[in-house]
Amino acid sequence: MPVINGSVVLSGWTNSAEGKFYLDYTGTCEGLLQDGLPLTRASTSELLDGSWYFDGARIYYKPTTGSASDHSVEGCKLTVVQILAQNYVTLKNIAFYGGAGIGVGVVNSSNIQIINCTITANAWAGIGIKNDPTKAGSPSSNILIQGNTIGWNGNGIYLISENGAAGLEKINVVENVVEYNDFNEVWKHKTLDGHGLGVQNTSNSYFGKNEFRYNNTGPIIWTSLDRRSDNNIIARNYSHHNQKFGMALTGEGQDNSSNNRWIYNIITDNGSRDGFDGGLRINRSNRGKNFFIHNTLARNDVNIYLYSLTDYAIISKNISFSPLSFHVLLEVPLSQNIFAENLYFPDGTGLFGIQLLRTLNFAGWRAQTGGEKGSSVGDPLFADTSLTRPEHFVPSPASPAWIKLLPPVGARPKSGPFSVTTLEPDLPLEYNVDYFGQTPGNAPFRGAIQGSLQ
């Protein structure tokens, strides 16, 4: 696989004292990579809270082991690839590494494919898709990001439209492995987000069958005060061991996102920061309704957390299993949010909370909220209780999940690791079949770069 490299090799270090080294350097250095992985930037040249620091003239470096000469050390210096005001471009089977900003940036461009690439150690994001009214070109749309490995960047994939730009449309992110992005906030000097997938001001898009693991956060939809995020589908993803939350819906203001559907996702083992992050975090008031249905949540800090201004969320037919703190925690009144036909296990005092009342069991939770019509407590009887792979989350034939959560009798469960609790989601044809006509080989993409730098 050919590599497009934005980094520069750094050598000739001078040993200063106590395992610290310095190098006089001219140019940009947005990150320091040791043996291919990013190091945390310190706040000063004393290196008390990190492993490197650049003052504009000299780089200071403290190796994690041994001396500077024991490691390959690189600085993130150059832009890797930016596609600006271009259409019908394919990037396939290429590695993008060590960029000062974004590994692959797409601005005001459409009909773009990024397929089977490895995108690592880029300072702000692995892939960035953007609408920018100050630059040439038309709004970005019809973009396919499929089958890539995206790791150790500031953010994994980030979708954004700037103020004054049209929102992004028809972005399809499928079958990617997104891992270790801003892990332990190693890129905090470049980003305050650290999302595996950050979706901002985006509509009519599909995010499916991805694995998000060991990122600062999993996928999140965030909407600006005067913008919209509508009609997105987040389906059949496996989001686990992310340090803050597994998935989230949030933003500024209210009533600016609706009909987003989070369905058939596995959200497990998320939240290690403060005990109140965890699995699914919902943080907006939207009269247009958003749907959280047929998800499996297990061993998160808080499996389902409605944080602030939350209203008109439909939370139904989910499995919540063995949370570290709460099955459900509401920081707000139940209001117009609907909980129904969910399956919880185990039950116990203090596993449900609403505002300051945080000592409830399931019966107390149901009495306080007046919700949970058709919900119950029961062991889902997962196929393998280690729950370390997606297929482990399939309930056994004796599980109450097949009674409580399935569509009508006669429907057959699909096989495969990402159809977990029930059937394939009932998605519109354009989401479920051809990713808006962009399945590889299905369109005459021009300017294709497939395993070469031509």
Side-chain angles (χ1 to χ4, degrees), residues 99-115:
I102 299 174
V104 178
V106 178
V107 181
N108 300 350
S109 301
S110 296
N111 298 299
I112 308 297
Q113 294 188 116
I114 306 169
I115 301 172

Side-chain angles (χ1 to χ4, degrees), residues 128-265:
I129 311 297
K130 185 177 182 181
N131 283 343
D132 187 341
T134 68
K135 299 187 184 309
S138 301
S140 298
S141 67
N142 285 351
I143 293 172
L144 175 64
I145 302 170
Q146 182 177 32
N148 305 284
T149 298
I150 304 166
W152 296 102
N153 308 283
N155 295 276
I157 304 167
Y158 212 106
L159 315 179
I160 184 171
S161 60
E162 297 285 7
N163 290 335
L168 291 163
E169 296 262 350
K170 296 184 178 179
I171 312 297
N172 300 278
V173 179
V174 294
E175 299 170 349
N176 302 282
V177 175
V178 185
E179 59 186 0
Y180 293 101
N181 294 285
D182 203 29
F183 188 68
N184 288 332
E185 297 186 326
V186 69
W187 291 108
K188 64 182 178 181
H189 66 287
K190 288 295 294 182
T191 177
L192 298 177
D193 296 327
H195 303 316
L197 170 64
V199 179
Q200 187 176 139
N201 308 331
T202 299
S203 297
N204 302 312
S205 296
Y206 176 66
F207 312 99
K209 295 198 288 186
N210 303 285
E211 181 173 4
F212 300 96
R213 61 192 185 194
Y214 299 100
N215 303 287
N216 194 22
T217 81
I220 177 172
I221 292 180
W222 192 95
T223 310
S224 301
L225 186 62
D226 59 345
R227 312 305 295 282
R228 304 282 319 172
S229 295
D230 301 318
N231 306 319
N232 297 296
I233 291 179
I234 304 92
R236 293 182 292 148
N237 299 286
Y238 181 32
S239 184
H240 63 100
H241 294 95
N242 299 291
Q243 293 178 295
K244 291 182 180 177
F245 40 78
M247 296 187 179
L249 174 66
T250 183
E252 297 177 308
Q254 59 188 37
D255 295 328
N256 57 7
S257 63
S258 66
N259 197 38
N260 297 292
R261 286 170 280 175
W262 308 73
I263 49 180
Y264 295 86
N265 299 290

Side-chain angles (χ1 to χ4, degrees), residues 20-38:
K20 300 176 185 177
F21 298 80
Y22 69 85
L23 177 69
D24 293 331
Y25 177 83
T26 301
T28 298
C29 184
E30 297 290 356
L32 202 70
L33 310 179
Q34 178 184 278
D35 302 324
L37 297 179

Side-chain angles (χ1 to χ4, degrees), residues 77-145:
K77 183 176 183 178
L78 305 172
T79 298
V80 182
V81 168
Q82 178 172 274
I83 300 171
L84 171 62
Q86 301 293 320
N87 297 318
Y88 296 98
V89 176
T90 294
L91 306 177
K92 188 173 183 180
N93 299 328
I94 303 171
F96 302 91
Y97 169 79
I102 299 174
V104 178
V106 178
V107 181
N108 300 350
S109 301
S110 296
N111 298 299
I112 308 297
Q113 294 188 116
I114 306 169
I115 301 172
N116 295 340
C117 294
T118 300
I119 305 170
T120 56
N122 298 282
W124 193 79
I127 297 174
I129 311 297
K130 185 177 182 181
N131 283 343
D132 187 341
T134 68
K135 299 187 184 309
S138 301
S140 298
S141 67
N142 285 351
I143 293 172
L144 175 64
I145 302 170

Side-chain angles (χ1 to χ4, degrees), residues 276-412:
F276 287 94
D277 290 308
L280 178 61
R281 186 175 178 124
I282 309 170
N283 190 31
R284 285 300 93 189
S285 175
N286 287 287
R287 281 190 285 267
K289 297 185 177 63
N290 291 286
F291 299 87
F292 306 86
I293 300 175
H294 286 302
N295 301 290
T296 299
L297 304 107
R299 301 188 309 210
N300 303 289
D301 283 355
V302 181
N303 277 349
I304 303 171
Y305 190 6
L306 277 69
Y307 181 63
S308 68
L309 299 179
T310 314
D311 209 356
Y312 293 91
I314 312 299
I315 301 166
S316 179
K317 298 183 184 296
N318 303 288
I319 295 175
S320 177
F321 181 79
S322 291
L324 274 65
S325 297
F326 296 94
H327 283 296
V328 183
L329 178 61
L330 269 67
E331 296 280 7
V332 294
L334 183 66
S335 190
Q336 301 299 315
N337 297 296
I338 295 174
F339 285 77
E341 298 183 274
N342 298 297
L343 182 68
Y344 299 100
F345 189 81
D347 194 6
T349 301
L351 289 177
F352 298 83
I354 179 167
Q355 295 181 288
L356 297 179
L357 186 60
R358 300 188 175 190
T359 58
L360 301 173
N361 61 9
F362 177 69
W365 156 255
R366 175 181 262 176
Q368 284 289 327
T369 62
E372 297 286 8
K373 181 179 179 180
S375 298
S376 64
V377 173
D379 191 339
L381 300 174
F382 292 125
D384 187 323
T385 56
S386 68
L387 302 182
T388 56
R389 294 180 56 81
E391 56 266 29
H392 293 170
F393 291 85
V394 177
S396 76
S399 171
W402 296 111
I403 300 172
K404 302 296 295 185
L405 307 179
L406 270 180
V409 175
R412 292 185 177 183

